[in-house]
């Protein structure tokens, strides 16, 4: 979906205004502004440790922003931790960067967790749904009975993805969905994310270091640098953004305005 | 100057902990009283705490009962008061040793495993994941453990009481040559309901403390494997110390009036 002026004026699904977050005297987010329209897919790129995951966690209510406003469907949730968000929390699905699977439960129960605990679906029905969802991320039904520790890293990531989308959330956050996957599986996941956005109308906010994936799944791309979004634009224009920082990042050059903190 | 700063820092750190613990306890109790509860998880924890602690607690109890009989016999022989052995055993076990020893053993076994499990879930973001799946981590993780601790410890201690008294009986009858009937009679005649009940009440409090310390330390652990290790140690040490302190307070309340 190309974002036009008209659907930006409607209530954004997610509205992030001047959000700041520091850990001690370390300022991670320094005033982030970003609106995500319904059924839009926005990809955030940026160097390691620049606060991408922290931003998602602030929106989810796992972390609380120090200042600024975060609205979901127009409702201010800035200072409500996710445990107290009730129905707003139900709108979200989250793929964690480290998968964060429950290692005391078998894989299928991980995927069905939101259905069983959140929606009180009977276990049998939830298991069927879980196995369907596992199939979408390329995992066989037999994987459902393993425990997360018996899976490879890439398989864990895909289970995390299945868990994030199993409850049919309205908004899904993907924190590095293709990291650790082989190129073919990465593209399967890209297609899956696109299908979620296009067919189900899910609003997606993704983080990735994989530029191929970013171009493919994103309607828009936003680049974070030193706690601010220094560039937000159509995914198609990312290769000729005219911004030196974006250029350097997209082309993966060590030389440029972004200096890595290395000792020579 | 530095020394004063150090004291200040220690005191502040302690107050921060105390504040956090108070909030944690309040939140946890609040969630214990409000549905939904997770009967399945409570059951699992009850089996873990109650059933799987039986061997350890049983062994502790039987040897404590045995050594009590032996010690009090040799001690009381000096006053030719050997006949008090059965009474001493049953009183010591039901009032003090049953709850305290079982509490300490379970603190080591269960408190540690709770802190390790919840701590690992914290540092691997599983607790964050819970709340994104519309599940309150307090309800899902903390409440079942607290309730199971509260309910199972009295049961365990009751079993420990019986086994401990039986240990005393074994030594009394087979080693010290008491008449079995006399030994049993002086046990049963002498013990009063309050002796047993006070012990079971203590046990319930200890069970709550053990689970609370395990959950609290796990929940607030940070910094990977090292943090989880520290949480585990803190859970066991703080639970053990609190058990000994509350044991004294409860004894005062029950028996000094
Ligand atoms: N709970 C926390 N406590 C203290 N500092 C934190 C915490 N979480 C994140 N940080 C710090 O915030 C910064 C941003 O972290 P974040 O995880 O958002 O990075 P990221 O952009 O997702 O990086 P990556 O691409 O490597 O995942 C890091 O420097 C990190 O040290
Ligand atoms: Mg990250």
């Amino acid at each position: 979906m190309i974002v036009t002026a008209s659907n930006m004026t409607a209530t954004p699904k997610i509205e992030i205004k001047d959000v700041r977050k520091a850990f001690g005297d370390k300022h991670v987010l320094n005033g982030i502004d970003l609106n995500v329209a319904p059924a839009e897919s926005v990809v955030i790129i940026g160097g390691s440790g620049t606060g991408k995951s922290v931003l998602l966690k602030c929106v989810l209510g796992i972390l609380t922003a120090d200042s600024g406003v975060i609205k979901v469907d127009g409702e201010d949730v800035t200072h409500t931790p996710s445990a107290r968000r009730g129905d707003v929390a139900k709108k979200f699905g989250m793929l964690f960067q480290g998968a964060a699977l429950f290692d005391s439960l078998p894989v299928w129960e991980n995927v069905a967790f939101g259905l069983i605990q959140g929606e009180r679906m009977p276990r049998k029905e939830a298991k069927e749904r879980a196995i369907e969802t596992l199939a979408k991320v390329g995992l066989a039904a037999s994987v459902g009975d393993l425990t997360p520790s018996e899976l490879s890293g890439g398989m864990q990531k895909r289970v995390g993805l299945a868990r994030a989308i199993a409850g049919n959330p309205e908004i899904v956050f993907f924190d590095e969905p293709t990291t650790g996957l082989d190129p073919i599986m990465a593209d399967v996941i890209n297609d899956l994310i696109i299908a979620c956005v296009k067919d189900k109308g899910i609003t997606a906010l993704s983080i990735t270091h994989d530029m191929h994936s970013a171009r493919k799944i994103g309607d828009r791309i936003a680049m974070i640098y030193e706690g601010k979004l220094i560039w937000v634009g159509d995914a198609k224009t990312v290769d000729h953004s005219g911004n030196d920082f974006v250029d350097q990042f997209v082309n993966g050059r060590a030389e440029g305005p972004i200096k890595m903190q290395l000792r020579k | 100057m530095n020394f004063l700063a150090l004291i200040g820092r220690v005191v502040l750190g302690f107050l921060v902990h105390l504040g956090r613990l108070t909030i944690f306890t309040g939140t946890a109790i609040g969630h214990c009283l409000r549905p939904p509860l997770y009967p399945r998880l409570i059951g699992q924890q009850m089996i873990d705490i109650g059933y799987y602690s039986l061997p350890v607690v049983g062994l502790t109890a039987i040897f404590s009962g045995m050594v009590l009989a032996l010690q009090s016999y040799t001690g009381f022989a000096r006053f030719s008061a050997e006949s008090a052995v059965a009474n001493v055993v049953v009183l010591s076990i039901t009032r003090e040793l049953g709850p305290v020893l079982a509490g300490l053993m379970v603190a080591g076994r269960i408190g540690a495993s709770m802190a390790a499990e919840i701590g690992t879930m914290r540092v691997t973001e599983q607790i964050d994941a819970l709340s994104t799946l519309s599940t309150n981590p307090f309800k899902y993780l903390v409440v079942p453990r607290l309730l199971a601790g509260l309910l199972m410890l009295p049961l365990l201690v009751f079993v420990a009481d019986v086994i401990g008294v039986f240990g005393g009986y074994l030594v009394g009858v087979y080693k010290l040559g008491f008449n079995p009937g006399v030994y049993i009679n002086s046990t049963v005649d002498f013990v009063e309901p309050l002796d047993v009940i006070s012990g079971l009440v203590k046990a319930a409090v200890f069970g709550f403390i053990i689970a609370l310390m395990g959950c609290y330390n796990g929940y607030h652990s940070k910094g990977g494997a090292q943090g989880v290790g520290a949480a585990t140690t803190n859970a066991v040490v703080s639970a053990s110390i609190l058990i000994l302190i509350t044991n004294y307070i409860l004894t005062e309340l029950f028996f000094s009036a």
Side-chain angles (χ1 to χ4, degrees):
Chain A
M1 191 178 83
I2 310 269
V3 180
T4 59
S6 69
N7 63 23
M8 287 303 290
T9 52
T11 319
K13 196 76 183 168
I14 302 168
E15 195 178 340
I16 301 168
K17 226 191 272 166
D18 197 29
V19 163
R20 288 162 196 273
K21 177 77 187 172
F23 295 102
D25 51 9
K26 182 173 187 178
H27 295 270
V28 178
L29 303 179
N30 282 322
I32 300 272
D33 291 286
L34 180 68
N35 285 356
V36 185
E40 187 190 15
S41 168
V42 173
V43 173
I44 301 175
I45 57 173
S48 190
T50 47
K52 304 180 297 295
S53 300
V54 168
L55 176 64
L56 291 198
K57 286 179 190 169
C58 285
V59 178
L60 277 171
I62 293 170
L63 293 172
T64 311
D66 298 334
S67 66
V69 178
I70 295 166
K71 289 183 182 173
V72 176
D73 281 328
E75 188 178 330
D76 189 339
V77 291
T78 321
H79 300 289
T80 329
S82 61
R84 273 191 266 131
R85 283 189 181 177
D87 288 339
V88 176
K90 287 206 170 73
K91 292 179 183 173
F92 285 95
M94 167 82 182
L95 165 63
F96 284 84
Q97 187 168 357
L101 301 178
F102 305 127
D103 39 31
S104 57
L105 299 176
V107 166
W108 78 263
E109 224 174 313
N110 264 280
V111 178
F113 195 90
L115 304 172
I116 296 174
Q117 307 297 349
E119 297 176 24
R120 310 252 146 221
M121 187 186 275
R123 293 173 68 83
K124 195 154 169 283
E125 199 183 329
K127 183 166 186 176
E128 281 163 20
R129 271 274 284 283
I131 289 185
E132 277 167 35
T133 318
L134 281 173
K136 286 189 199 158
V137 295
L139 292 172
S142 58
V143 173
D145 294 317
L146 301 176
T147 61
S149 59
E150 293 171 298
L151 304 181
S152 74
M155 288 164 93
Q156 291 182 357
K157 196 96 207 193
R158 284 184 278 158
V159 174
L161 200 116
R163 184 177 71 181
I165 61 173
N168 288 326
E170 296 172 27
I171 306 165
V172 189
F173 290 171
F174 300 100
D175 198 342
E176 307 197 4
T178 56
T179 306
L181 302 184
D182 65 83
I184 302 172
M185 190 45 76
D187 209 46
V188 171
I189 297 304
N190 286 338
D191 287 337
L192 176 69
I193 295 175
I194 294 169
C196 284
V197 177
K198 294 280 173 309
D199 305 344
K200 295 195 198 161
I202 287 175
T203 308
L205 188 53
S206 319
I207 294 173
T208 188
H209 293 297
D210 169 358
M211 284 314 299
H212 171 72
S213 167
R215 290 188 193 92
K216 190 162 176 184
I217 63 178
D219 296 322
R220 282 192 299 153
I221 293 180
M223 170 136 172
I224 188 170
Y225 181 68
E226 292 190 336
K228 288 196 159 100
L229 292 182
I230 53 162
W231 185 83
V232 184
D234 197 302
K236 293 194 187 67
T237 65
V238 73
D239 289 302
H240 10 92
S241 58
N243 182 314
D244 291 344
F245 292 87
V246 179
D247 253 9
Q248 186 195 349
F249 190 86
V250 168
N251 296 308
R253 284 193 297 260
E255 297 301 318
I258 305 175
K259 298 276 184 265
M260 288 292 155
Q261 311 269 311
L262 296 178
R263 270 175 221 221
K264 288 279 154 73
Chain B
M1 203 48 209
N2 259 342
F3 180 65
L4 286 181
L6 184 72
I7 294 182
R9 203 166 322 128
V10 169
V11 171
L12 276 183
F14 176 74
L15 289 180
V16 167
H17 260 293
L18 200 65
R20 270 205 317 208
L21 178 61
T22 312
I23 295 174
F24 187 90
T25 314
T27 316
I29 292 177
H31 280 293
C32 283
L33 302 176
R34 263 175 291 143
L37 298 173
Y38 295 97
R40 200 188 168 86
L41 295 175
I42 298 176
Q44 249 170 34
Q45 291 298 328
M46 286 172 76
I47 293 175
D48 229 30
I49 298 177
Y51 185 70
Y52 289 113
S53 299
L54 271 179
V56 184
V57 170
L59 271 176
T60 314
I62 197 158
F63 281 105
S64 309
M66 285 164 65
V67 85
L68 259 180
L70 205 55
Q71 278 285 15
S72 50
Y73 183 81
T74 51
F76 288 165
R78 296 181 196 160
F79 318 104
S80 7
E82 297 93 332
S83 57
V85 166
N87 311 346
V88 170
V89 168
V90 72
L91 272 198
S92 317
I93 291 278
T94 53
R95 283 183 171 198
E96 293 295 335
L97 291 182
V100 171
L101 289 181
L104 293 177
M105 296 311 279
V106 175
R109 215 186 81 81
I110 297 295
S113 87
M114 283 181 183
E117 190 178 353
I118 296 183
T120 307
M121 291 185 75
R122 163 61 73 201
V123 300
T124 56
E125 300 185 319
Q126 292 179 50
I127 294 187
D128 296 336
L130 273 180
S131 55
T132 67
L133 292 164
S134 306
T135 304
N136 190 309
F138 265 86
K139 280 217 169 352
Y140 189 80
L141 294 174
V142 179
V143 168
R145 287 172 171 76
L146 285 180
L147 290 180
L150 191 71
L151 295 174
M152 288 320 280
L153 255 262
L155 232 68
L156 263 179
V157 166
F158 187 75
V159 175
D161 286 351
V162 175
I163 295 179
V165 169
F166 178 67
Y169 170 88
L170 285 183
V171 169
V173 171
Y174 294 103
K175 187 166 165 61
L176 308 175
F178 281 90
N179 176 298
V182 172
Y183 190 97
I184 291 175
N185 270 341
S186 52
T187 298
V188 175
D189 289 347
F190 196 72
V191 70
E192 283 181 30
L194 181 66
D195 299 326
V196 178
I197 290 170
S198 69
L200 299 185
V201 171
K202 281 180 177 178
V205 175
F206 297 166
F208 188 80
I209 289 175
I210 292 166
L212 185 69
M213 287 299 123
C215 294
Y216 169 77
N217 284 291
Y219 201 84
H220 285 291
S221 66
K222 47 174 168 273
Q226 201 183 6
V228 175
T232 311
T233 312
N234 288 342
V236 176
V237 172
S238 57
S240 306
I241 292 175
L242 280 176
I243 284 177
L244 294 174
I245 296 175
T246 39
N247 180 51
Y248 180 81
I249 297 173
L250 289 174
T251 305
E252 279 255 4
L253 288 179
F254 273 117
F255 298 110
S256 76

